[in-house]
Amino acid sequence: MTHLDLPVREGMPDGPRLPRVLQTVLFLTARAVVSPLWRKRYGDTYTVRLAGGRTIVSVSRAEDIREVFAGSPSVFHAGEGNAILAPVMGENSVLLLDEDAHLAARKRLMPAFNGAALRGYHDMMTRLAEEAAEKWPLGKPFAAHRTMNAVTLEIILRVVFGMGEGERLARLRPLINKVTDIGGVSVLGWAFPRLRNVWPWKRNIDNLAAADALLHEEIAERRGQPDLDTRGDVLSRLLAADPDAPAAELRDHMMTLLLAGHETTATALAWSLHELSRHPAALRAAQAAADAGDDAHLQAVAKEAMRLRPVIYSVGRRLTEPTVVAGHRLPRGTVVSPSIGLVQRDPDNFDAPEEFRPERFLDASPESGTWIPFGGGVRRCIGAGFSLQEAAAILKAVLVRYDLEPVGSPERAKSRNITLIPSGGAKIIARRR
């Protein structure tokens, strides 16, 4: 018997009784540490109460997650659940919109990420990945996360903006890194506007404003180009489809794709290299796949890294009306949060979940609701295919060239903005094969 067969429970699920401010700090800075503890104490469904009156109900059973992802988009508002991202992504971001507005934005962006478009990006991805791999230091420790950030940023800038080398691109690269390189506490500045005039939050706002200025310059210049129909980048595609598209809307789409499509893949790749360096058999199998051009195996490496080391620990849906979720009748305004980190390490879903086994993604597809790094339902990430293709291209460029060795003990995950990154930068040593 499942909870679906039981009477509906009235009232919020149990959860920590800590002060809201302390729960907020723990949620933003140590979610991967406290979530398993809270689940053990309060069960698969529990309530977290944050400062500002925000109430989150975490769900971690696959059947409950499927229920949330299959829920009506008019009831389960993902855009409202992502509201904390608004100061950076912008009000027109596909991540912040709901219902018809979300579907319209998604429809405009999807052609840039369909099968034909992905095939068109392959050669560029491969070239940039190979150029970056050739510059790796040999025989000494270095932070793989930094190198992965650099190459994925380069790829996304070329794909999203079609930007060539020049002063504007050179100025934009470090600004994008500064926008993303903030800790969990700094995210409070997104949620509480009064903090934005206080250091270090003001510095973050200034970095974002400088990046925005460059993006608007690029949009204005591109709008006047006569060859938009022949360009393959996302910005040109959007302008060709709608020459009068507002600059603010284009900026929000571009910033969303830049940030969501760059840092998450970079971090997944850093974790992939971190794990491969510590698992010789998995490394040898991945190198053989790289030599043979077996992209399916290389994507399985990235998928397993995303499962074991989730970049985003949870997602959110804000209820627009009272709704039964996981057997509880939840009030309007509750944010229901499928926990990526908990469901993907549940032994009910994956054998030996603490072990790094890329082959589990070759043998069979995971059951729905158990592997969700790209979310699910109508909100599933439009760049999922792009991310996996990019990961395979970069892993191939690295693994055909190098053997990898670990540095020190396995690294823990630490919070950076809303992501979880390797605490030491995923340090490894590379040697020529």
Side-chain angles (χ1 to χ4, degrees):
M1 178 180 291
T2 71
H3 72 73
L4 297 176
D5 305 307
L6 299 174
V8 172
R9 286 161 281 183
E10 301 293 338
M12 304 297 292
D14 200 4
R17 299 289 196 273
L18 301 168
R20 282 182 178 266
V21 171
L22 182 54
Q23 289 191 51
T24 302
V25 172
L26 291 173
F27 188 79
L28 291 176
T29 65
R31 198 178 315 181
V33 176
V34 298
S35 292
L37 299 177
W38 287 341
R39 183 193 194 190
K40 184 176 181 180
R41 180 167 182 178
Y42 303 111
D44 298 315
T45 305
Y46 59 84
T47 302
V48 181
R49 294 172 172 84
L50 305 185
R54 193 175 177 88
T55 300
I56 295 177
V57 171
S58 174
V59 295
S60 57
R61 289 166 56 102
E63 61 191 81
D64 297 332
I65 291 172
R66 289 193 293 269
E67 179 184 357
V68 172
F69 286 161
S72 168
S74 66
V75 176
F76 292 83
H77 271 194
E80 290 190 63
N82 293 329
I84 195 172
L85 303 176
V88 177
M89 301 297 193
E91 62 182 16
N92 301 293
S93 167
V94 69
L95 295 179
L96 275 294
L97 299 173
D98 283 302
E99 300 188 47
D100 291 345
H102 166 257
L103 292 176
R106 190 179 178 92
K107 184 177 180 180
R108 284 193 291 274
L109 293 170
M110 279 300 293
F113 296 96
N114 62 23
L118 292 180
R119 288 189 292 275
Y121 303 144
H122 178 271
D123 290 348
M124 178 271 295
M125 284 182 178
T126 299
R127 175 175 58 81
L128 292 175
E130 290 176 345
E131 290 175 359
E134 281 295 331
K135 299 175 183 177
W136 273 27
L138 297 177
K140 60 182 181 181
F142 70 100
H145 192 229
R146 185 176 303 158
T147 64
M148 293 299 98
N149 260 313
V151 67
T152 59
L153 177 59
E154 201 67 21
I155 288 173
I156 205 73
L157 283 170
R158 301 300 178 94
V159 169
V160 171
F161 273 100
M163 295 179 74
E165 286 296 337
E167 180 187 357
R168 187 176 299 146
L169 180 60
R171 290 163 58 198
L172 185 60
R173 287 190 190 105
L175 286 171
I176 293 296
N177 283 325
K178 288 177 181 178
V179 168
T180 59
D181 191 13
I182 62 174
V185 174
S186 294
V187 176
L188 288 172
W190 301 354
F192 298 98
R194 291 182 181 179
L195 294 177
R196 297 176 196 172
N197 293 321
V198 181
W199 190 93
W201 295 283
K202 186 178 185 303
R203 176 195 60 194
N204 299 333
I205 295 298
D206 290 344
N207 288 333
L208 180 61
D212 281 349
L214 293 175
L215 298 184
H216 279 284
E217 285 179 16
E218 187 69 24
I219 290 168
E221 182 177 296
R222 187 68 54 81
R223 197 187 292 273
Q225 298 300 313
D227 60 345
L228 294 177
D229 289 335
T230 64
R231 290 174 176 252
D233 61 273
V234 180
L235 175 59
S236 295
R237 288 172 183 266
L238 291 176
L239 283 170
D242 182 6
D244 298 321
E249 180 179 323
L250 292 170
R251 175 270 175 208
D252 292 352
H253 289 325
M254 299 302 100
M255 184 61 79
T256 298
L257 295 174
L258 279 173
L259 299 184
H262 140 57
E263 189 184 17
T264 51
T265 304
T267 303
L269 282 164
W271 282 124
S272 298
L273 297 172
H274 171 277
E275 295 299 327
L276 287 174
S277 72
R278 286 162 171 77
H279 296 86
L283 175 60
R284 290 192 296 272
Q287 287 174 323
D291 294 342
D294 184 354
D295 283 0
H297 188 110
L298 297 175
Q299 289 188 14
V301 170
K303 289 177 180 178
E304 175 67 348
M306 293 176 188
R307 183 199 67 79
L308 183 63
R309 304 284 200 162
V311 180
I312 303 291
Y313 201 81
S314 60
V315 295
R317 304 285 191 271
R318 186 178 183 277
L319 300 180
T320 63
E321 61 185 53
T323 308
V324 176
V325 177
H328 294 266
R329 192 183 309 280
L330 304 178
R332 178 181 181 274
T334 303
V335 175
V336 180
S337 179
S339 178
I340 299 171
L342 292 177
V343 75
Q344 292 184 172
R345 284 201 177 205
D346 192 325
D348 289 342
N349 302 325
F350 296 96
D351 292 334
E354 301 301 318
E355 296 182 10
F356 180 70
R357 296 182 179 179
E359 62 273 12
R360 72 173 91 235
F361 286 93
L362 294 173
D363 299 338
S365 297
E367 184 182 352
S368 173
T370 62
W371 184 78
I372 53 171
F374 297 110
V378 297
R379 305 295 302 216
R380 190 173 189 271
C381 175
I382 61 174
F386 180 92
S387 175
L388 291 171
Q389 177 175 303
E390 180 183 23
I394 294 172
L395 286 173
K396 179 179 179 181
V398 169
L399 295 175
V400 298
R401 289 168 170 80
Y402 303 116
D403 284 318
L404 308 179
E405 299 174 9
V407 176
S409 301
E411 297 181 21
R412 62 177 179 83
K414 74 172 183 178
S415 295
R416 186 174 82 165
N417 53 66
I418 61 168
T419 64
L420 295 171
I421 65 172
S423 57
K427 288 190 176 65
I428 57 174
I429 295 172
R431 301 188 191 279
R432 286 280 183 184
R433 291 177 60 186

